Amino acid sequence: MIIRGPIIPWELGAEKGKPVAAYYGYLRGCNNILAKLHTKHPELCDKVGGLLAMHIDDLRALAPMWLSKTEEVREDRAHWGTNITGDIYGKGWISEMYGYSFGAAEVGLHHKINDDLMIYPGYIPRPGTEPILMHYGLPFQVGTWSFSKLEHHEDPIVYDCNRLFASPPYPREVEMMESDPNKRRGLFLSIECINTLNEGLLLHHASMGCPKPKWSKYLSFLRSKRFSELTKPKLLNQHQMHHEIIEPKQLSDESGRAHPKIHTLFSTECSPYFDWQTVGLIHSFHLSGQPGNITRLLSCTDEDLKRYKGHDLAPTHYVPSMSRHPLTGDWYPAINKPAAVLHWVNHVETDAEFIVILDADMIMRGPITPWEYGVQRGHPVSTPYEYLIGCDNELAKIHTRNPSTCDKVGGVIIMHIDDLRKFALLWLHKTEEVRADKAHYATNFTGDIYAAGWISEMYGYSFGAAELNLRHIVKRDILIYPGYVPEPGVKYKVFHYGLRFDVGNWSFDKADWRDVDMVNTCWAKFPEPPDPSTLSKEDENILQRDLLSIECGKALNRALYLHHKRRNCPPSNAIGNSNQLIGDEGISFRQRHEGNNENLHITRKIPVPFVGSNMSSIYRSNNGGKSLRIWMVGLWAFSVLGFLAVISMVLSTHKGEASKRARNKKTYAGVSDTGGNSHKFHDKHIYDVEIASDD
């Protein structure tokens, strides 16, 4: 936390028996079975934490209960699930927070809950409020700069003289980034947080006797009058002193309006292909400021689940796979999306009023909220899919009673939970129906360029929604495909990288990486997109298109880097250049050489062959792929012939030397007769040959 002003209990309204606390709305366990299990007074459970200001007598009564309830919740593994605790990791990490809330309920404390005292950098403060605490527990970003405390878990920065965290944009740059005054205030809070941390590091390093740091523009700013004015102590206003949440049941935005809860869903399968997409989406979700929690709907067979390694990638709801239809035997993995949503609706108790449904191959750039887009019961919001021509022809007349209400939409869906509960089963049934209608697979009916029924699930959605007369609010400013030219001034909330896109000679196509295990291969990453400074500025539309494409590529690589860091991958210099993707050949190389021979550990210092960097170019043209394969076969043949020639020379040399010694140095015959010395002699030469072979 960063303290921005004095925290005075009586000014906040704290009294004996009535402590003041900040609001932790995600502690859903206060409203469900968790509270009933762990406190005799579930009605007194408050969703609070962060800032606590209480009378010393209350603290003396609470402290032992706080500890014992934390232990109690931590041991209750049966109720660690995200749907019960709100813990996005489902690992019991927030047991201590529940320990506090349940302990306070046990001793009868009634909190005065104030949601204006503390803010997470990256969030937008309400107009007229001045938070006195910043809690940088979550990743946040300003433009292309970002900060996450988890990246510095093992960072000895406090002991490294004059080393600071990466400097954020300057205030003048922030003013140019955002025109909305409230959002701009949020960005200023973010840079204030990291600048205050860096100022603290400078003062600490000076107290350690570190040498005076070299001058830089950033250090000059930290010592400037402008920075001093920005960080002067903040005082609460009268509204903040007396503002109290009585029934913390809803979210609020920067305008102070109360809003309902949101939950985000996306569906995947037990596959490395979906795992790296999951890593990208989850990372972007946490940076986007999206309210509520997110759940991955993971469709797997029992056999897949036994082998699966990605359980820790996201909060997960497990679903039986329908890739192979249990009744028809039809192979159609896309049906898992409606099947998984239906399974979640029927098996999970949620208090969210609106559900956001995304695809795994998306990157979030900002929050997607129902109040921003006007979602209501009967009127979900979605993005346009113009190629669904079946809404306008015979296909709709066959598969829905209300063809006139068929909307050509998909991608991002925001829907009221009541609509989703009615709709989910129809979504699945209509998908099955369209998939079975092979007579109308043709492109002129469906718009499917493959004419193979691949987009049956999309029609299942549109026809199912038409059956219920759901009329969509179609928004074109939510989603963009990288590679498309953006509308001027539109700040898209989602990248959908479902199609190939390129910038100059660099390109990205998710299909190229279908069989590459990016998540379980340490430091694996995609080819880096070009530096934005190298782009031509002649055509503004092309420039903005390419900047978005680069942003998407960099976001995926950033997510993978942080994932590998969390997985405690060895330092990158232990496996060669971390900026390169370790290809399949590199993986097998390590596996072959990490055997029982302890002398072979030095092979890990050899740079791993980089196969993946050429992958995109291999896919660009068949002719290029053939020539590359011919070149590689020739290189392999040349290497084998060279190796055989060297071995032949070594053996002939040894043979010649042995003959010469036998003729000229008869003392060796005596050595041979001693037995032990002869054994030692032969061991030495075997050892020499082994080392040469390893080199």
Side-chain angles (χ1 to χ4, degrees):
M1 291 185 172
I2 296 293
I3 302 176
R4 305 181 72 233
I7 303 169
I8 304 171
W10 51 89
E11 287 189 359
L12 300 179
E15 306 173 52
K16 190 172 181 178
K18 295 181 179 180
V20 168
Y23 179 43
Y24 273 8
Y26 57 83
L27 297 179
R28 62 173 64 176
C30 276
N31 300 131
N32 61 35
I33 191 173
L34 202 65
K36 295 174 184 176
L37 289 172
H38 294 289
T39 173
K40 292 176 286 188
H41 304 289
E43 73 282 358
L44 296 182
C45 183
D46 291 325
K47 301 176 187 177
V48 295
L51 164 66
L52 305 168
M54 72 172 61
H55 195 280
I56 186 64
D57 292 344
D58 293 336
L59 184 59
R60 289 191 176 107
L62 168 69
M65 292 300 298
W66 187 354
L67 176 60
S68 65
K69 290 295 177 183
T70 298
E71 294 172 319
E72 213 178 273
V73 177
R74 180 70 180 161
E75 291 171 3
D76 184 9
R77 293 173 180 263
H79 296 94
W80 277 7
T82 304
N83 59 316
I84 295 176
T85 63
D87 177 2
I88 61 171
Y89 301 104
K91 299 290 186 182
W93 291 121
I94 59 176
S95 300
E96 173 272 320
M97 300 179 188
Y98 280 113
Y100 177 86
S101 291
F102 295 157
E106 286 292 280
V107 298
L109 297 182
H110 296 259
H111 291 86
K112 295 183 177 181
I113 306 172
N114 194 316
D115 203 20
D116 292 333
L117 304 176
M118 184 186 84
I119 193 168
Y120 286 88
Y123 283 32
I124 301 171
R126 290 187 184 86
T129 64
E130 196 65 81
I132 57 173
L133 273 179
M134 286 191 284
H135 190 183
Y136 53 92
L138 301 175
F140 58 98
Q141 70 180 73
V142 178
T144 57
W145 175 92
S146 65
F147 179 82
S148 171
K149 71 171 189 178
L150 290 177
E151 295 179 34
H152 303 278
H153 198 268
E154 304 295 335
D155 190 347
I157 191 169
V158 72
Y159 308 113
D160 293 352
C161 278
N162 300 323
R163 186 160 71 87
L164 306 177
F165 296 114
S167 58
Y170 293 98
R172 185 174 297 177
E173 296 171 324
V174 172
E175 288 172 353
M176 297 172 64
M177 284 181 190
E178 183 56 64
S179 58
D180 184 284
N182 290 322
K183 292 179 180 178
R184 190 165 59 239
R185 280 187 68 220
L187 297 179
F188 269 105
L189 286 172
S190 294
I191 65 171
E192 179 186 332
C193 176
I194 196 69
N195 285 334
T196 305
L197 276 170
N198 278 337
E199 184 187 33
L201 284 170
L202 281 174
L203 294 171
H204 172 71
H205 290 156
S207 72
M208 289 171 55
C210 289
K212 187 176 180 181
K214 294 180 181 179
W215 182 91
S216 70
K217 180 182 176 183
Y218 181 58
L219 286 182
S220 179
F221 167 71
L222 291 182
R223 293 166 178 164
S224 67
K225 184 178 179 181
R226 177 77 192 278
F227 178 66
S228 179
E229 290 173 352
L230 289 171
T231 56
K232 64 183 179 182
K234 306 299 188 292
L235 301 176
L236 295 174
N237 57 40
Q238 290 298 312
H239 169 76
Q240 286 177 279
M241 290 181 190
H242 302 290
H243 177 67
E244 181 182 347
I245 301 175
I246 305 300
E247 285 292 333
K249 297 295 183 185
Q250 295 179 316
L251 302 169
S252 301
D253 70 358
E254 64 271 20
S255 67
R257 298 190 301 264
H259 290 302
K261 293 183 179 179
I262 312 171
H263 195 92
T264 303
L265 303 175
F266 70 102
S267 64
T268 71
E269 300 165 36
C270 283
S271 160
Y273 177 60
F274 284 102
D275 283 355
W276 61 258
Q277 296 176 36
T278 297
V279 167
L281 178 56
I282 291 294
H283 173 68
S284 67
F285 174 86
H286 292 308
L287 288 177
S288 69
Q290 176 73 359
N293 295 315
I294 188 169
T295 297
R296 170 179 62 166
L297 309 179
L298 184 62
S299 300
C300 305
T301 65
D302 291 341
E303 287 303 311
D304 287 339
L305 207 54
K306 290 175 185 176
R307 297 188 297 267
Y308 187 62
K309 300 177 182 178
H311 298 283
D312 62 335
L313 300 181
T316 301
H317 176 76
Y318 295 89
V319 183
S321 175
M322 278 190 67
S323 294
R324 179 75 64 189
H325 197 285
L327 298 179
T328 66
D330 177 40
W331 177 257
Y332 183 55
I335 201 172
N336 282 313
K337 183 176 180 179
V341 170
L342 177 63
H343 193 279
W344 183 83
V345 165
N346 288 335
H347 289 82
V348 174
E349 180 184 343
T350 180
D351 59 353
E353 190 173 339
F354 288 93
I355 307 299
V356 177
I357 301 175
L358 304 176
D359 288 331
D361 57 344
M362 291 182 174
I363 294 291
M364 296 186 68
R365 305 178 71 234
I368 306 165
T369 58
W371 49 87
E372 181 177 356
Y373 297 107
V375 185
Q376 303 173 22
R377 280 186 181 87
H379 294 279
V381 159
S382 192
T383 51
Y385 273 9
E386 301 292 354
Y387 56 84
L388 297 179
I389 60 175
C391 275
D392 300 325
N393 62 35
E394 184 180 341
L395 201 65
K397 296 174 183 177
I398 293 173
H399 293 291
T400 174
R401 295 169 296 179
N402 304 307
S404 61
T405 61
C406 181
D407 293 323
K408 293 183 270 189
V409 294
V412 175
I413 300 162
I414 318 172
M415 186 178 289
H416 195 280
I417 186 63
D418 292 345
D419 291 335
L420 186 62
R421 288 190 176 113
K422 298 173 187 174
F423 164 70
L425 183 60
L426 278 168
W427 186 1
L428 176 60
H429 283 176
K430 290 297 176 182
T431 298
E432 293 172 316
E433 214 178 88
V434 177
R435 179 69 180 166
D437 184 9
K438 296 187 178 184
H440 293 92
Y441 273 8
T443 305
N444 61 310
F445 285 117
T446 63
D448 177 3
I449 60 172
Y450 301 104
W454 292 122
I455 59 176
S456 300
E457 173 271 318
M458 300 180 188
Y459 279 114
Y461 178 88
S462 292
F463 294 159
E467 286 292 283
L468 293 178
N469 281 311
L470 298 179
R471 300 314 310 263
H472 289 83
I473 302 168
V474 183
K475 292 291 184 179
R476 299 180 179 273
D477 58 350
I478 298 177
L479 177 147
I480 188 170
Y481 285 87
Y484 282 35
V485 175
E487 290 292 328
V490 175
K491 295 186 177 181
Y492 297 95
K493 300 295 183 70
V494 172
F495 286 137
H496 190 185
Y497 54 91
L499 303 174
R500 176 191 176 92
F501 58 98
D502 54 63
V503 179
N505 293 326
W506 175 88
S507 67
F508 181 84
D509 187 338
K510 69 173 188 176
D512 291 353
W513 306 90
R514 182 174 292 278
D515 299 317
V516 183
D517 192 350
M518 304 293 291
V519 167
N520 296 307
T521 304
C522 271
W523 306 117
K525 60 182 289 189
F526 302 111
E528 282 289 348
D531 189 302
S533 63
T534 64
L535 299 179
S536 169
K537 298 179 174 57
E538 292 181 3
D539 188 320
E540 181 64 21
N541 288 333
I542 300 301
L543 174 63
Q544 294 305 318
R545 179 199 68 185
D546 290 349
L547 286 173
L548 291 178
S549 296
I550 291 171
E551 180 186 336
C552 182
K554 285 185 174 294
L556 284 169
N557 273 342
R558 181 64 174 166
L560 282 170
Y561 169 77
L562 295 176
H563 163 76
H564 295 312
K565 196 168 184 178
R566 281 193 295 272
R567 284 275 182 95
N568 295 317
C569 280
S572 57
N573 61 1
I575 56 171
N577 186 351
S578 67
N579 291 326
Q580 293 179 335
L581 166 69
I582 301 170
D584 294 339
E585 183 176 332
I587 297 168
S588 61
F589 179 88
R590 287 207 310 279
Q591 290 170 344
R592 289 197 303 269
H593 288 77
E594 291 178 356
N596 296 326
N597 192 332
E598 58 190 22
N599 292 320
L600 293 182
H601 70 278
I602 60 170
T603 60
R604 297 180 193 173
K605 296 180 182 177
I606 300 172
V608 176
F610 179 38
V611 177
S613 64
N614 293 321
M615 191 166 296
S616 293
S617 59
I618 290 171
Y619 280 92
R620 281 182 199 142
S621 81
N622 293 330
N623 293 333
K626 290 177 183 176
S627 62
L628 179 62
R629 284 194 292 272
I630 293 169
W631 182 85
M632 290 181 69
V633 169
L635 179 61
W636 174 81
F638 178 78
S639 300
V640 170
L641 292 172
F643 174 75
L644 292 174
V646 170
I647 290 298
S648 176
M649 291 174 62
V650 170
L651 291 176
S652 63
T653 301
H654 276 291
K655 184 176 179 180
E657 288 179 356
S659 300
K660 188 177 180 181
R661 284 195 296 269
R663 290 194 305 268
N664 300 330
K665 297 205 175 185
K666 295 183 179 179
T667 52
Y668 276 109
V671 172
S672 180
D673 290 342
T674 62
N677 285 338
S678 173
H679 179 69
K680 187 174 183 180
F681 169 80
H682 288 299
D683 275 354
K684 179 178 186 297
H685 278 77
I686 293 170
Y687 184 69
D688 285 345
V689 172
E690 283 181 348
I691 294 299
S693 175
D694 290 342
D695 286 345

